């Protein structure tokens, strides 16, 4: 339930009824480890690095109460003891804000029932990190699920994660670029074009949220973000590894961006929907 999968997506059909919500007073904030960033994190007796390790947090399902938030450190209750953990490795389960009109679902899946639409600005109480990139929230005593990237604090955390990843990939590409024998960047892939088993009305009419995160997510996995990546097995080319019928070898970045946006709009309705399909199938 709490396994926060790496490959997930926020797209969905917006139903016409809109209900206004406001979060009830939340209990004390809690944290759980972000398993995308660390398999385990040291628990320390002081808010500093050193030999002051009290234990280890590795269970992605267990939440710990926050006593105070101190800069880069969180002061928590660890098995009845005062302890500290590095904040960057944890999700804080507390009051959060919906950043755009968002589907409030009864299950953490894209095809589950939409209970209502939460308007932008709605305050919710985050209670769990669920499956498929969704989080469980409570509003007006109702519990349901929203996609994590549509919550303010989760969006910021995702942007920071992928900005760091993009910087790392760029640095690696720059190092590779100085190798004398390298003439182009080759990306190995077994991707072949297939028609989705079912193209539902929901994906065709999916909600159009911010696509920057999902689009970058796909680009990094297809080509490490390179506009010159080429796979001779099928002729897939560029940042989004598109079929030769969609983008020709040597296409400019602008041509690749336009072709990718058009392809995704036609096939999936949004980059978020494309990301979820990629996550489930390893291609899009």
């Amino acid at each position: 339930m709490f396994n926060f999968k790496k490959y997930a997506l926020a797209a969905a059909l917006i139903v016409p009824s809109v209900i206004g919500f406001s979060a009830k007073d939340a209990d004390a904030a809690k944290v759980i480890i972000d398993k995308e960033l660390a398999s385990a994190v040291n628990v320390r007796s002081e808010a500093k690095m050193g030999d002051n390790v009290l234990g280890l947090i590795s269970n992605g399902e267990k939440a710990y109460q926050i006593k105070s938030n101190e800069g880069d450190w969180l002061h928590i209750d660890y098995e009845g003891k005062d302890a500290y953990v590095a904040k960057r490795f944890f999700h804080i389960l507390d009051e959060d804000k919906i950043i755009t009109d968002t589907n409030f679902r009864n299950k953490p899946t894209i095809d589950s029932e939409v209970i209502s639409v939460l308007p932008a600005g709605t305050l919710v109480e985050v209670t769990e990190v669920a499956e498929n990139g969704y989080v469980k929230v409570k509003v007006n005593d109702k519990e349901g699920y929203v996609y994590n990237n549509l919550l303010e604090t989760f969006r910021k955390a995702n942007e920071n994660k992928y900005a760091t990843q993009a910087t790392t990939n760029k640095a690696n590409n720059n190092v590779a670029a100085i190798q004398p024998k390298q003439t182009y960047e080759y990306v190995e892939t077994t991707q072949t074009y297939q028609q989705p088993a079912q193209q539902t009305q929901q994906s065709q009419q999916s909600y159009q949220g911010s696509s920057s995160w999902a689009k970058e997510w796909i680009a990094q996995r297809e080509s490490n973000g390179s506009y010159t990546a080429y796979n001779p097995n099928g002729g897939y080319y560029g940042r989004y590894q598109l079929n030769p019928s969609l983008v020709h070898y040597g296409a400019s970045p602008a041509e690749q961006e336009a072709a990718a946006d058009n392809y995704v709009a036609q096939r999936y309705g949004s980059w978020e929907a494309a990301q979820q399909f990629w996550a489930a199938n390893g291609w899009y």
Side-chain angles (χ1 to χ4, degrees):
M1 175 64 180
F2 295 87
N3 184 14
F4 187 56
K5 294 186 179 179
K6 294 182 180 178
Y7 312 133
L9 174 86
L13 173 65
I14 292 292
V15 297
S17 61
V18 177
I19 301 176
F21 290 88
S22 61
K24 295 187 66 177
D25 293 337
D27 295 331
K30 296 181 179 180
V31 294
I32 61 173
I33 188 173
D34 183 346
K35 298 295 282 189
E36 286 192 40
L37 295 181
S39 58
V41 176
N42 285 326
V43 181
R44 299 180 179 278
S45 60
E46 299 177 84
K48 64 180 183 179
M49 303 295 286
D51 58 359
N52 55 339
V53 177
L54 294 175
L56 196 69
I57 291 177
S58 60
N59 187 344
E61 299 183 2
K62 187 172 182 179
Y64 297 84
Q65 183 177 336
I66 299 176
K67 292 190 172 184
S68 64
N69 190 334
E70 304 177 5
D72 295 331
W73 296 86
L74 292 171
H75 179 192
I76 66 171
D77 181 347
Y78 178 71
E79 299 177 354
K81 302 175 183 177
D82 284 332
Y84 298 84
V85 291
K87 185 193 303 183
R88 67 183 182 277
F89 297 118
F90 289 83
H91 289 297
I92 297 178
L93 306 183
D94 198 0
E95 188 175 80
D96 210 334
K97 183 191 294 185
I98 299 293
I99 60 176
T100 188
D101 293 355
T102 302
N103 287 327
F104 185 48
R105 295 184 172 276
N106 67 343
K107 294 180 181 179
T109 60
I110 193 173
D111 57 354
S112 60
E113 177 187 350
V114 176
I115 301 170
S116 64
V117 176
L118 304 180
T122 300
L123 296 178
V124 301
E125 179 188 346
V126 179
T127 60
E128 296 177 5
V129 174
E131 302 174 320
N132 303 321
Y134 287 85
V135 294
K136 190 173 186 179
V137 301
K138 180 187 290 187
V139 283
N140 282 357
D141 290 329
K142 293 182 181 290
E143 289 190 322
Y145 299 86
V146 298
Y147 185 67
N148 75 86
N149 207 43
L150 300 178
L151 291 167
E152 187 173 63
T153 58
F154 279 83
R155 170 69 67 85
K156 290 178 180 177
N158 287 336
E159 289 175 347
N160 289 338
K161 276 190 251 183
Y162 286 94
T164 299
Q165 182 183 46
T167 299
T168 300
N169 289 335
K170 182 178 180 181
N172 290 339
N173 289 341
N174 288 340
V175 170
I178 65 174
Q179 301 301 319
K181 294 184 179 180
Q182 181 171 343
T183 56
Y184 62 86
E185 188 176 17
Y186 172 68
V187 178
E188 182 66 37
T189 177
T190 58
Q191 175 182 350
T192 58
Y193 180 83
Q194 299 179 40
Q195 190 68 22
Q198 182 178 4
Q199 183 78 14
T200 64
Q201 182 182 19
Q202 183 171 9
S203 65
Q204 293 169 356
Q205 301 179 16
S206 58
Y207 170 67
Q208 299 292 325
S210 171
S211 296
S212 59
W213 179 79
K215 188 175 183 180
E216 182 65 22
W217 189 96
I218 288 177
Q220 292 301 324
R221 283 155 181 77
E222 288 290 329
S223 67
N224 286 329
S226 171
Y227 284 108
T228 59
Y230 177 67
N231 178 10
N233 181 20
Y236 299 102
Y237 181 73
R239 182 175 171 83
Y240 304 99
Q241 288 293 282
L242 296 177
N243 188 287
S245 65
L246 300 175
V247 62
H248 62 86
Y249 179 82
S252 69
E255 289 174 315
Q256 293 182 39
E257 294 291 340
D261 286 340
N262 182 63
Y263 167 69
V264 166
Q266 294 288 331
R267 185 175 172 83
Y268 298 100
S270 72
W271 279 98
E272 285 82 1
Q275 186 212 24
Q276 185 173 24
F277 187 88
W278 200 110
N281 297 278
W283 59 274
Y284 74 114

